[in-house]
Amino acid sequence: MGARQVVRAYYVLSGLYTLAASLIWGVNTLFLLDAGLSIGEVFVANAVFSAGMVLFEIPTGVVADTLGRRVSYLFSVTVLAATTGLYLLVWSMEGGVVAFSIVSLFMGLGFTFFSGALEAWMVDALNHAGGGDLDQVFARAQQVTGGAMLVGTVGGGFLGQVSLGLPFGLRMVLLLGLIGIATPLMVEQGFTPRPLTRRAFPREMVEQARVALGAGWAQPGLRALILTSAVGGGLMFWAFYAAQPYFLLLLERDAVWIVGVLTAALSVAMMGGNQLVKWLSKRCQRRTTLLLGAAAVIAAATTVMGATDHFAVAAVAFLVLGAAFGVTQPVHSAYVHTVTSSEHRATVVSFDSMVGSTGSVGGQLGLGWVAEARSLAVGYMVAGIASLLALPLLLRVRAVGGAGDRIVGRDTSDASCAAEGLPAIAQIEPQHPEVVETIAGGGRSSTDG
């Protein structure tokens, strides 16, 4: 499988996965409210979902780093299809917050099988096939998934106008079909799966936790960057799902399809942010320049959403928020992959995701309580202020510098990103030997997912 085939397969699998998943994203909060939950209970169920991702990240990372990335991806699709069906069942029975929380916990399990695994498969297979520019691949992948989200959220919104259960039913069908597509496409290259016995599983969990702490937490720059995932996770998950009832409140009408269209417009904004990465990376030497700028925009846009009572102003701020996250995501991923080697890459990325999910638990419970006690508008303003916590963490990443902060392919003679005020930095390859040696600590290598 050549480099182009690997990248195309990565785009297909991530795009189809996002298409199926996103069918419910624009209506999920409305779906739960329709089932009889209060706004506070909605975010309790969502927080349990995030808690499931925290709980299962390391065990599922073991699966990806032993049985293989394809096995992990297929587990993810299967579990998500099953839990989506259970969501429909609980909704039809008006089962309440406890039943939704139990299903949400296992839905979190499904997503943890996905987090890290597909990226790890692509990076290892791409390196095996000769390598490529990870910043560009991740940015283009964000565009692909943004396009899939566009189709999914618009379709889900219109289906939800007919019945809020329809997007969930179609999602389940598409996920089951994806099993047949992924099985032949995900050929393991650059990574050799190994058996996992019942006795070996606890040892593997301990080893993966040690690797996550050693390869991720022990590096000051990566540690600070991973902590920004907690801030972002606490904000974006809540802001996204709170937008559904918030915009209907501002509109003063029950127009589910408008929420679906606006959610789809968010995906376009995120794709615009992804495209900005390509343009900005040619002018800036350091990834932290992009991350700091995006973090400031995120804080401002979120605060504006809560401070206004005009639908149009809030909608524009929502789209600006999406564009800023579109810049952050590929740059963040490229940093993590650059400073992480091959064997345990899925574990490190899953650890990053786990920290983000931990922040999401706290953010949704806290902001959900604020929304219930005060209002959704106040929740957005509190979220905007809290997101400023990312700035000192990113300044720490910048102070550490190193390979992860250098943008591959940057013309070091170009000083057009003058705001950096820093000397030119030599280009590096994504899997620089010095980086691998630093991470490995005594000869161990690792991989990301």
Side-chain angles (χ1 to χ4, degrees), residues 273-297:
N274 301 153
Q275 189 62 31
L276 273 177
V277 172
K278 181 178 180 180
W279 184 80
L280 291 172
S281 64
K282 293 178 180 178
R283 290 159 176 78
C284 297
Q285 300 171 6
R286 306 182 72 172
R287 292 187 173 108
T288 48
T289 301
L290 307 184
L291 293 172
L292 283 164
V297 171

mmCIF file with all atom_site columns, all heavy atoms in Angstrom, residues 273-297:
data_model
loop_
_atom_site.group_PDB
_atom_site.id
_atom_site.type_symbol
_atom_site.label_atom_id
_atom_site.label_alt_id
_atom_site.label_comp_id
_atom_site.label_asym_id
_atom_site.label_entity_id
_atom_site.label_seq_id
_atom_site.pdbx_PDB_ins_code
_atom_site.Cartn_x
_atom_site.Cartn_y
_atom_site.Cartn_z
_atom_site.occupancy
_atom_site.B_iso_or_equiv
_atom_site.pdbx_formal_charge
_atom_site.auth_seq_id
_atom_site.auth_comp_id
_atom_site.auth_asym_id
_atom_site.auth_atom_id
_atom_site.pdbx_PDB_model_num
ATOM 1   N N   . GLY A 1 273 ? -10.823 27.066 9.157  1.00 0.00 ? 273 GLY A N   1
ATOM 2   C CA  . GLY A 1 273 ? -9.695  27.106 10.091 1.00 0.00 ? 273 GLY A CA  1
ATOM 3   C C   . GLY A 1 273 ? -8.606  26.125 9.700  1.00 0.00 ? 273 GLY A C   1
ATOM 4   O O   . GLY A 1 273 ? -7.408  26.434 9.799  1.00 0.00 ? 273 GLY A O   1
ATOM 5   N N   . ASN A 1 274 ? -9.013  24.932 9.253  1.00 0.00 ? 274 ASN A N   1
ATOM 6   C CA  . ASN A 1 274 ? -8.030  23.948 8.775  1.00 0.00 ? 274 ASN A CA  1
ATOM 7   C C   . ASN A 1 274 ? -7.225  24.492 7.608  1.00 0.00 ? 274 ASN A C   1
ATOM 8   O O   . ASN A 1 274 ? -6.005  24.306 7.516  1.00 0.00 ? 274 ASN A O   1
ATOM 9   C CB  . ASN A 1 274 ? -8.737  22.658 8.331  1.00 0.00 ? 274 ASN A CB  1
ATOM 10  C CG  . ASN A 1 274 ? -9.549  21.996 9.413  1.00 0.00 ? 274 ASN A CG  1
ATOM 11  O OD1 . ASN A 1 274 ? -10.510 21.297 9.122  1.00 0.00 ? 274 ASN A OD1 1
ATOM 12  N ND2 . ASN A 1 274 ? -9.200  22.208 10.674 1.00 0.00 ? 274 ASN A ND2 1
ATOM 13  N N   . GLN A 1 275 ? -7.922  25.169 6.684  1.00 0.00 ? 275 GLN A N   1
ATOM 14  C CA  . GLN A 1 275 ? -7.243  25.731 5.519  1.00 0.00 ? 275 GLN A CA  1
ATOM 15  C C   . GLN A 1 275 ? -6.282  26.844 5.923  1.00 0.00 ? 275 GLN A C   1
ATOM 16  O O   . GLN A 1 275 ? -5.218  27.015 5.322  1.00 0.00 ? 275 GLN A O   1
ATOM 17  C CB  . GLN A 1 275 ? -8.283  26.272 4.523  1.00 0.00 ? 275 GLN A CB  1
ATOM 18  C CG  . GLN A 1 275 ? -7.703  26.679 3.177  1.00 0.00 ? 275 GLN A CG  1
ATOM 19  C CD  . GLN A 1 275 ? -7.076  25.507 2.431  1.00 0.00 ? 275 GLN A CD  1
ATOM 20  O OE1 . GLN A 1 275 ? -7.519  24.375 2.574  1.00 0.00 ? 275 GLN A OE1 1
ATOM 21  N NE2 . GLN A 1 275 ? -6.034  25.778 1.657  1.00 0.00 ? 275 GLN A NE2 1
ATOM 22  N N   . LEU A 1 276 ? -6.642  27.585 6.965  1.00 0.00 ? 276 LEU A N   1
ATOM 23  C CA  . LEU A 1 276 ? -5.753  28.631 7.464  1.00 0.00 ? 276 LEU A CA  1
ATOM 24  C C   . LEU A 1 276 ? -4.424  28.062 7.958  1.00 0.00 ? 276 LEU A C   1
ATOM 25  O O   . LEU A 1 276 ? -3.395  28.729 7.886  1.00 0.00 ? 276 LEU A O   1
ATOM 26  C CB  . LEU A 1 276 ? -6.431  29.389 8.611  1.00 0.00 ? 276 LEU A CB  1
ATOM 27  C CG  . LEU A 1 276 ? -7.322  30.575 8.240  1.00 0.00 ? 276 LEU A CG  1
ATOM 28  C CD1 . LEU A 1 276 ? -7.975  31.150 9.493  1.00 0.00 ? 276 LEU A CD1 1
ATOM 29  C CD2 . LEU A 1 276 ? -6.516  31.649 7.515  1.00 0.00 ? 276 LEU A CD2 1
ATOM 30  N N   . VAL A 1 277 ? -4.460  26.820 8.472  1.00 0.00 ? 277 VAL A N   1
ATOM 31  C CA  . VAL A 1 277 ? -3.229  26.189 8.963  1.00 0.00 ? 277 VAL A CA  1
ATOM 32  C C   . VAL A 1 277 ? -2.193  26.116 7.840  1.00 0.00 ? 277 VAL A C   1
ATOM 33  O O   . VAL A 1 277 ? -1.015  26.427 8.036  1.00 0.00 ? 277 VAL A O   1
ATOM 34  C CB  . VAL A 1 277 ? -3.509  24.780 9.527  1.00 0.00 ? 277 VAL A CB  1
ATOM 35  C CG1 . VAL A 1 277 ? -2.207  24.054 9.845  1.00 0.00 ? 277 VAL A CG1 1
ATOM 36  C CG2 . VAL A 1 277 ? -4.377  24.883 10.768 1.00 0.00 ? 277 VAL A CG2 1
ATOM 37  N N   . LYS A 1 278 ? -2.643  25.716 6.653  1.00 0.00 ? 278 LYS A N   1
ATOM 38  C CA  . LYS A 1 278 ? -1.734  25.607 5.507  1.00 0.00 ? 278 LYS A CA  1
ATOM 39  C C   . LYS A 1 278 ? -1.116  26.958 5.172  1.00 0.00 ? 278 LYS A C   1
ATOM 40  O O   . LYS A 1 278 ? 0.079   27.069 4.922  1.00 0.00 ? 278 LYS A O   1
ATOM 41  C CB  . LYS A 1 278 ? -2.495  25.051 4.306  1.00 0.00 ? 278 LYS A CB  1
ATOM 42  C CG  . LYS A 1 278 ? -1.639  24.874 3.055  1.00 0.00 ? 278 LYS A CG  1
ATOM 43  C CD  . LYS A 1 278 ? -2.460  24.267 1.922  1.00 0.00 ? 278 LYS A CD  1
ATOM 44  C CE  . LYS A 1 278 ? -1.613  24.084 0.669  1.00 0.00 ? 278 LYS A CE  1
ATOM 45  N NZ  . LYS A 1 278 ? -2.398  23.486 -0.441 1.00 0.00 ? 278 LYS A NZ  1
ATOM 46  N N   . TRP A 1 279 ? -1.936  28.002 5.177  1.00 0.00 ? 279 TRP A N   1
ATOM 47  C CA  . TRP A 1 279 ? -1.465  29.341 4.832  1.00 0.00 ? 279 TRP A CA  1
ATOM 48  C C   . TRP A 1 279 ? -0.562  29.915 5.914  1.00 0.00 ? 279 TRP A C   1
ATOM 49  O O   . TRP A 1 279 ? 0.509   30.450 5.634  1.00 0.00 ? 279 TRP A O   1
ATOM 50  C CB  . TRP A 1 279 ? -2.676  30.253 4.610  1.00 0.00 ? 279 TRP A CB  1
ATOM 51  C CG  . TRP A 1 279 ? -2.316  31.632 4.164  1.00 0.00 ? 279 TRP A CG  1
ATOM 52  C CD1 . TRP A 1 279 ? -1.978  32.033 2.902  1.00 0.00 ? 279 TRP A CD1 1
ATOM 53  C CD2 . TRP A 1 279 ? -2.257  32.800 4.985  1.00 0.00 ? 279 TRP A CD2 1
ATOM 54  N NE1 . TRP A 1 279 ? -1.715  33.385 2.886  1.00 0.00 ? 279 TRP A NE1 1
ATOM 55  C CE2 . TRP A 1 279 ? -1.884  33.884 4.155  1.00 0.00 ? 279 TRP A CE2 1
ATOM 56  C CE3 . TRP A 1 279 ? -2.484  33.045 6.342  1.00 0.00 ? 279 TRP A CE3 1
ATOM 57  C CZ2 . TRP A 1 279 ? -1.728  35.184 4.633  1.00 0.00 ? 279 TRP A CZ2 1
ATOM 58  C CZ3 . TRP A 1 279 ? -2.336  34.332 6.818  1.00 0.00 ? 279 TRP A CZ3 1
ATOM 59  C CH2 . TRP A 1 279 ? -1.963  35.381 5.975  1.00 0.00 ? 279 TRP A CH2 1
ATOM 60  N N   . LEU A 1 280 ? -0.980  29.767 7.177  1.00 0.00 ? 280 LEU A N   1
ATOM 61  C CA  . LEU A 1 280 ? -0.217  30.333 8.281  1.00 0.00 ? 280 LEU A CA  1
ATOM 62  C C   . LEU A 1 280 ? 1.093   29.589 8.522  1.00 0.00 ? 280 LEU A C   1
ATOM 63  O O   . LEU A 1 280 ? 2.096   30.191 8.906  1.00 0.00 ? 280 LEU A O   1
ATOM 64  C CB  . LEU A 1 280 ? -1.054  30.317 9.564  1.00 0.00 ? 280 LEU A CB  1
ATOM 65  C CG  . LEU A 1 280 ? -2.257  31.264 9.589  1.00 0.00 ? 280 LEU A CG  1
ATOM 66  C CD1 . LEU A 1 280 ? -3.112  30.996 10.820 1.00 0.00 ? 280 LEU A CD1 1
ATOM 67  C CD2 . LEU A 1 280 ? -1.796  32.722 9.572  1.00 0.00 ? 280 LEU A CD2 1
ATOM 68  N N   . SER A 1 281 ? 1.083   28.268 8.301  1.00 0.00 ? 281 SER A N   1
ATOM 69  C CA  . SER A 1 281 ? 2.292   27.481 8.564  1.00 0.00 ? 281 SER A CA  1
ATOM 70  C C   . SER A 1 281 ? 3.426   27.817 7.606  1.00 0.00 ? 281 SER A C   1
ATOM 71  O O   . SER A 1 281 ? 4.589   27.534 7.886  1.00 0.00 ? 281 SER A O   1
ATOM 72  C CB  . SER A 1 281 ? 1.983   25.983 8.509  1.00 0.00 ? 281 SER A CB  1
ATOM 73  O OG  . SER A 1 281 ? 1.577   25.609 7.200  1.00 0.00 ? 281 SER A OG  1
ATOM 74  N N   . LYS A 1 282 ? 3.089   28.428 6.467  1.00 0.00 ? 282 LYS A N   1
ATOM 75  C CA  . LYS A 1 282 ? 4.129   28.863 5.535  1.00 0.00 ? 282 LYS A CA  1
ATOM 76  C C   . LYS A 1 282 ? 4.764   30.179 5.973  1.00 0.00 ? 282 LYS A C   1
ATOM 77  O O   . LYS A 1 282 ? 5.801   30.585 5.438  1.00 0.00 ? 282 LYS A O   1
ATOM 78  C CB  . LYS A 1 282 ? 3.542   29.031 4.131  1.00 0.00 ? 282 LYS A CB  1
ATOM 79  C CG  . LYS A 1 282 ? 3.093   27.725 3.489  1.00 0.00 ? 282 LYS A CG  1
ATOM 80  C CD  . LYS A 1 282 ? 2.484   27.962 2.126  1.00 0.00 ? 282 LYS A CD  1
ATOM 81  C CE  . LYS A 1 282 ? 2.045   26.651 1.484  1.00 0.00 ? 282 LYS A CE  1
ATOM 82  N NZ  . LYS A 1 282 ? 1.399   26.872 0.161  1.00 0.00 ? 282 LYS A NZ  1
ATOM 83  N N   . ARG A 1 283 ? 4.140   30.847 6.946  1.00 0.00 ? 283 ARG A N   1
ATOM 84  C CA  . ARG A 1 283 ? 4.602   32.156 7.366  1.00 0.00 ? 283 ARG A CA  1
ATOM 85  C C   . ARG A 1 283 ? 5.106   32.186 8.804  1.00 0.00 ? 283 ARG A C   1
ATOM 86  O O   . ARG A 1 283 ? 5.714   33.169 9.217  1.00 0.00 ? 283 ARG A O   1
ATOM 87  C CB  . ARG A 1 283 ? 3.452   33.166 7.192  1.00 0.00 ? 283 ARG A CB  1
ATOM 88  C CG  . ARG A 1 283 ? 3.160   33.443 5.724  1.00 0.00 ? 283 ARG A CG  1
ATOM 89  C CD  . ARG A 1 283 ? 1.772   34.010 5.493  1.00 0.00 ? 283 ARG A CD  1
ATOM 90  N NE  . ARG A 1 283 ? 1.596   34.352 4.076  1.00 0.00 ? 283 ARG A NE  1
ATOM 91  C CZ  . ARG A 1 283 ? 1.341   33.480 3.121  1.00 0.00 ? 283 ARG A CZ  1
ATOM 92  N NH1 . ARG A 1 283 ? 1.237   32.193 3.422  1.00 0.00 ? 283 ARG A NH1 1
ATOM 93  N NH2 . ARG A 1 283 ? 1.210   33.867 1.871  1.00 0.00 ? 283 ARG A NH2 1
ATOM 94  N N   . CYS A 1 284 ? 4.820   31.144 9.551  1.00 0.00 ? 284 CYS A N   1
ATOM 95  C CA  . CYS A 1 284 ? 5.219   31.103 10.956 1.00 0.00 ? 284 CYS A CA  1
ATOM 96  C C   . CYS A 1 284 ? 6.162   29.936 11.207 1.00 0.00 ? 284 CYS A C   1
ATOM 97  O O   . CYS A 1 284 ? 6.007   28.873 10.624 1.00 0.00 ? 284 CYS A O   1
ATOM 98  C CB  . CYS A 1 284 ? 3.992   30.975 11.859 1.00 0.00 ? 284 CYS A CB  1
ATOM 99  S SG  . CYS A 1 284 ? 2.865   32.368 11.744 1.00 0.00 ? 284 CYS A SG  1
ATOM 100 N N   . GLN A 1 285 ? 7.099   30.154 12.093 1.00 0.00 ? 285 GLN A N   1
ATOM 101 C CA  . GLN A 1 285 ? 8.087   29.130 12.392 1.00 0.00 ? 285 GLN A CA  1
ATOM 102 C C   . GLN A 1 285 ? 7.630   28.178 13.490 1.00 0.00 ? 285 GLN A C   1
ATOM 103 O O   . GLN A 1 285 ? 8.145   27.075 13.597 1.00 0.00 ? 285 GLN A O   1
ATOM 104 C CB  . GLN A 1 285 ? 9.402   29.797 12.837 1.00 0.00 ? 285 GLN A CB  1
ATOM 105 C CG  . GLN A 1 285 ? 10.016  30.712 11.786 1.00 0.00 ? 285 GLN A CG  1
ATOM 106 C CD  . GLN A 1 285 ? 11.178  31.511 12.344 1.00 0.00 ? 285 GLN A CD  1
ATOM 107 O OE1 . GLN A 1 285 ? 11.588  31.301 13.481 1.00 0.00 ? 285 GLN A OE1 1
ATOM 108 N NE2 . GLN A 1 285 ? 11.709  32.428 11.565 1.00 0.00 ? 285 GLN A NE2 1
ATOM 109 N N   . ARG A 1 286 ? 6.680   28.613 14.307 1.00 0.00 ? 286 ARG A N   1
ATOM 110 C CA  . ARG A 1 286 ? 6.361   27.848 15.504 1.00 0.00 ? 286 ARG A CA  1
ATOM 111 C C   . ARG A 1 286 ? 4.861   27.558 15.604 1.00 0.00 ? 286 ARG A C   1
ATOM 112 O O   . ARG A 1 286 ? 4.018   28.416 15.338 1.00 0.00 ? 286 ARG A O   1
ATOM 113 C CB  . ARG A 1 286 ? 6.831   28.610 16.747 1.00 0.00 ? 286 ARG A CB  1
ATOM 114 C CG  . ARG A 1 286 ? 8.303   28.994 16.672 1.00 0.00 ? 286 ARG A CG  1
ATOM 115 C CD  . ARG A 1 286 ? 8.762   29.699 17.928 1.00 0.00 ? 286 ARG A CD  1
ATOM 116 N NE  . ARG A 1 286 ? 8.858   28.789 19.053 1.00 0.00 ? 286 ARG A NE  1
ATOM 117 C CZ  . ARG A 1 286 ? 9.384   29.146 20.234 1.00 0.00 ? 286 ARG A CZ  1
ATOM 118 N NH1 . ARG A 1 286 ? 9.847   30.365 20.412 1.00 0.00 ? 286 ARG A NH1 1
ATOM 119 N NH2 . ARG A 1 286 ? 9.435   28.274 21.214 1.00 0.00 ? 286 ARG A NH2 1
ATOM 120 N N   . ARG A 1 287 ? 4.557   26.336 16.022 1.00 0.00 ? 287 ARG A N   1
ATOM 121 C CA  . ARG A 1 287 ? 3.156   25.936 16.187 1.00 0.00 ? 287 ARG A CA  1
ATOM 122 C C   . ARG A 1 287 ? 2.482   26.717 17.315 1.00 0.00 ? 287 ARG A C   1
ATOM 123 O O   . ARG A 1 287 ? 1.283   26.971 17.264 1.00 0.00 ? 287 ARG A O   1
ATOM 124 C CB  . ARG A 1 287 ? 3.079   24.432 16.453 1.00 0.00 ? 287 ARG A CB  1
ATOM 125 C CG  . ARG A 1 287 ? 3.476   23.588 15.249 1.00 0.00 ? 287 ARG A CG  1
ATOM 126 C CD  . ARG A 1 287 ? 3.223   22.106 15.481 1.00 0.00 ? 287 ARG A CD  1
ATOM 127 N NE  . ARG A 1 287 ? 3.466   21.366 14.257 1.00 0.00 ? 287 ARG A NE  1
ATOM 128 C CZ  . ARG A 1 287 ? 4.515   20.555 14.056 1.00 0.00 ? 287 ARG A CZ  1
ATOM 129 N NH1 . ARG A 1 287 ? 5.407   20.390 15.019 1.00 0.00 ? 287 ARG A NH1 1
ATOM 130 N NH2 . ARG A 1 287 ? 4.665   19.935 12.904 1.00 0.00 ? 287 ARG A NH2 1
ATOM 131 N N   . THR A 1 288 ? 3.247   27.092 18.341 1.00 0.00 ? 288 THR A N   1
ATOM 132 C CA  . THR A 1 288 ? 2.634   27.808 19.457 1.00 0.00 ? 288 THR A CA  1
ATOM 133 C C   . THR A 1 288 ? 2.120   29.184 19.042 1.00 0.00 ? 288 THR A C   1
ATOM 134 O O   . THR A 1 288 ? 1.210   29.722 19.682 1.00 0.00 ? 288 THR A O   1
ATOM 135 C CB  . THR A 1 288 ? 3.629   27.957 20.618 1.00 0.00 ? 288 THR A CB  1
ATOM 136 O OG1 . THR A 1 288 ? 4.886   28.442 20.116 1.00 0.00 ? 288 THR A OG1 1
ATOM 137 C CG2 . THR A 1 288 ? 3.835   26.635 21.324 1.00 0.00 ? 288 THR A CG2 1
ATOM 138 N N   . THR A 1 289 ? 2.685   29.774 17.993 1.00 0.00 ? 289 THR A N   1
ATOM 139 C CA  . THR A 1 289 ? 2.160   31.044 17.501 1.00 0.00 ? 289 THR A CA  1
ATOM 140 C C   . THR A 1 289 ? 0.710   30.871 17.055 1.00 0.00 ? 289 THR A C   1
ATOM 141 O O   . THR A 1 289 ? -0.162  31.682 17.377 1.00 0.00 ? 289 THR A O   1
ATOM 142 C CB  . THR A 1 289 ? 3.005   31.559 16.321 1.00 0.00 ? 289 THR A CB  1
ATOM 143 O OG1 . THR A 1 289 ? 4.356   31.735 16.744 1.00 0.00 ? 289 THR A OG1 1
ATOM 144 C CG2 . THR A 1 289 ? 2.471   32.881 15.798 1.00 0.00 ? 289 THR A CG2 1
ATOM 145 N N   . LEU A 1 290 ? 0.446   29.790 16.324 1.00 0.00 ? 290 LEU A N   1
ATOM 146 C CA  . LEU A 1 290 ? -0.903  29.511 15.866 1.00 0.00 ? 290 LEU A CA  1
ATOM 147 C C   . LEU A 1 290 ? -1.827  29.167 17.031 1.00 0.00 ? 290 LEU A C   1
ATOM 148 O O   . LEU A 1 290 ? -2.975  29.613 17.086 1.00 0.00 ? 290 LEU A O   1
ATOM 149 C CB  . LEU A 1 290 ? -0.890  28.359 14.858 1.00 0.00 ? 290 LEU A CB  1
ATOM 150 C CG  . LEU A 1 290 ? 0.055   28.486 13.661 1.00 0.00 ? 290 LEU A CG  1
ATOM 151 C CD1 . LEU A 1 290 ? -0.132  27.309 12.718 1.00 0.00 ? 290 LEU A CD1 1
ATOM 152 C CD2 . LEU A 1 290 ? -0.162  29.789 12.928 1.00 0.00 ? 290 LEU A CD2 1
ATOM 153 N N   . LEU A 1 291 ? -1.326  28.372 17.974 1.00 0.00 ? 291 LEU A N   1
ATOM 154 C CA  . LEU A 1 291 ? -2.153  27.922 19.091 1.00 0.00 ? 291 LEU A CA  1
ATOM 155 C C   . LEU A 1 291 ? -2.524  29.075 20.020 1.00 0.00 ? 291 LEU A C   1
ATOM 156 O O   . LEU A 1 291 ? -3.663  29.155 20.506 1.00 0.00 ? 291 LEU A O   1
ATOM 157 C CB  . LEU A 1 291 ? -1.428  26.833 19.874 1.00 0.00 ? 291 LEU A CB  1
ATOM 158 C CG  . LEU A 1 291 ? -1.219  25.502 19.124 1.00 0.00 ? 291 LEU A CG  1
ATOM 159 C CD1 . LEU A 1 291 ? -0.329  24.564 19.930 1.00 0.00 ? 291 LEU A CD1 1
ATOM 160 C CD2 . LEU A 1 291 ? -2.565  24.834 18.835 1.00 0.00 ? 291 LEU A CD2 1
ATOM 161 N N   . LEU A 1 292 ? -1.586  29.983 20.278 1.00 0.00 ? 292 LEU A N   1
ATOM 162 C CA  . LEU A 1 292 ? -1.872  31.130 21.152 1.00 0.00 ? 292 LEU A CA  1
ATOM 163 C C   . LEU A 1 292 ? -2.907  32.065 20.526 1.00 0.00 ? 292 LEU A C   1
ATOM 164 O O   . LEU A 1 292 ? -3.831  32.531 21.196 1.00 0.00 ? 292 LEU A O   1
ATOM 165 C CB  . LEU A 1 292 ? -0.579  31.891 21.451 1.00 0.00 ? 292 LEU A CB  1
ATOM 166 C CG  . LEU A 1 292 ? 0.347   31.241 22.483 1.00 0.00 ? 292 LEU A CG  1
ATOM 167 C CD1 . LEU A 1 292 ? 1.741   31.852 22.410 1.00 0.00 ? 292 LEU A CD1 1
ATOM 168 C CD2 . LEU A 1 292 ? -0.223  31.417 23.893 1.00 0.00 ? 292 LEU A CD2 1
ATOM 169 N N   . GLY A 1 293 ? -2.742  32.325 19.238 1.00 0.00 ? 293 GLY A N   1
ATOM 170 C CA  . GLY A 1 293 ? -3.706  33.176 18.553 1.00 0.00 ? 293 GLY A CA  1
ATOM 171 C C   . GLY A 1 293 ? -5.100  32.572 18.556 1.00 0.00 ? 293 GLY A C   1
ATOM 172 O O   . GLY A 1 293 ? -6.098  33.260 18.820 1.00 0.00 ? 293 GLY A O   1
ATOM 173 N N   . ALA A 1 294 ? -5.173  31.264 18.279 1.00 0.00 ? 294 ALA A N   1
ATOM 174 C CA  . ALA A 1 294 ? -6.472  30.583 18.259 1.00 0.00 ? 294 ALA A CA  1
ATOM 175 C C   . ALA A 1 294 ? -7.117  30.587 19.639 1.00 0.00 ? 294 ALA A C   1
ATOM 176 O O   . ALA A 1 294 ? -8.332  30.773 19.771 1.00 0.00 ? 294 ALA A O   1
ATOM 177 C CB  . ALA A 1 294 ? -6.303  29.159 17.753 1.00 0.00 ? 294 ALA A CB  1
ATOM 178 N N   . ALA A 1 295 ? -6.303  30.401 20.701 1.00 0.00 ? 295 ALA A N   1
ATOM 179 C CA  . ALA A 1 295 ? -6.848  30.375 22.062 1.00 0.00 ? 295 ALA A CA  1
ATOM 180 C C   . ALA A 1 295 ? -7.466  31.720 22.435 1.00 0.00 ? 295 ALA A C   1
ATOM 181 O O   . ALA A 1 295 ? -8.520  31.775 23.087 1.00 0.00 ? 295 ALA A O   1
ATOM 182 C CB  . ALA A 1 295 ? -5.747  30.004 23.056 1.00 0.00 ? 295 ALA A CB  1
ATOM 183 N N   . ALA A 1 296 ? -6.824  32.813 22.036 1.00 0.00 ? 296 ALA A N   1
ATOM 184 C CA  . ALA A 1 296 ? -7.371  34.145 22.328 1.00 0.00 ? 296 ALA A CA  1
ATOM 185 C C   . ALA A 1 296 ? -8.695  34.367 21.602 1.00 0.00 ? 296 ALA A C   1
ATOM 186 O O   . ALA A 1 296 ? -9.653  34.919 22.165 1.00 0.00 ? 296 ALA A O   1
ATOM 187 C CB  . ALA A 1 296 ? -6.357  35.216 21.925 1.00 0.00 ? 296 ALA A CB  1
ATOM 188 N N   . VAL A 1 297 ? -8.776  33.927 20.349 1.00 0.00 ? 297 VAL A N   1
ATOM 189 C CA  . VAL A 1 297 ? -10.018 34.061 19.577 1.00 0.00 ? 297 VAL A CA  1
ATOM 190 C C   . VAL A 1 297 ? -11.134 33.227 20.200 1.00 0.00 ? 297 VAL A C   1
ATOM 191 O O   . VAL A 1 297 ? -12.294 33.665 20.282 1.00 0.00 ? 297 VAL A O   1
ATOM 192 C CB  . VAL A 1 297 ? -9.779  33.656 18.107 1.00 0.00 ? 297 VAL A CB  1
ATOM 193 C CG1 . VAL A 1 297 ? -11.100 33.589 17.348 1.00 0.00 ? 297 VAL A CG1 1
ATOM 194 C CG2 . VAL A 1 297 ? -8.828  34.637 17.431 1.00 0.00 ? 297 VAL A CG2 1
#
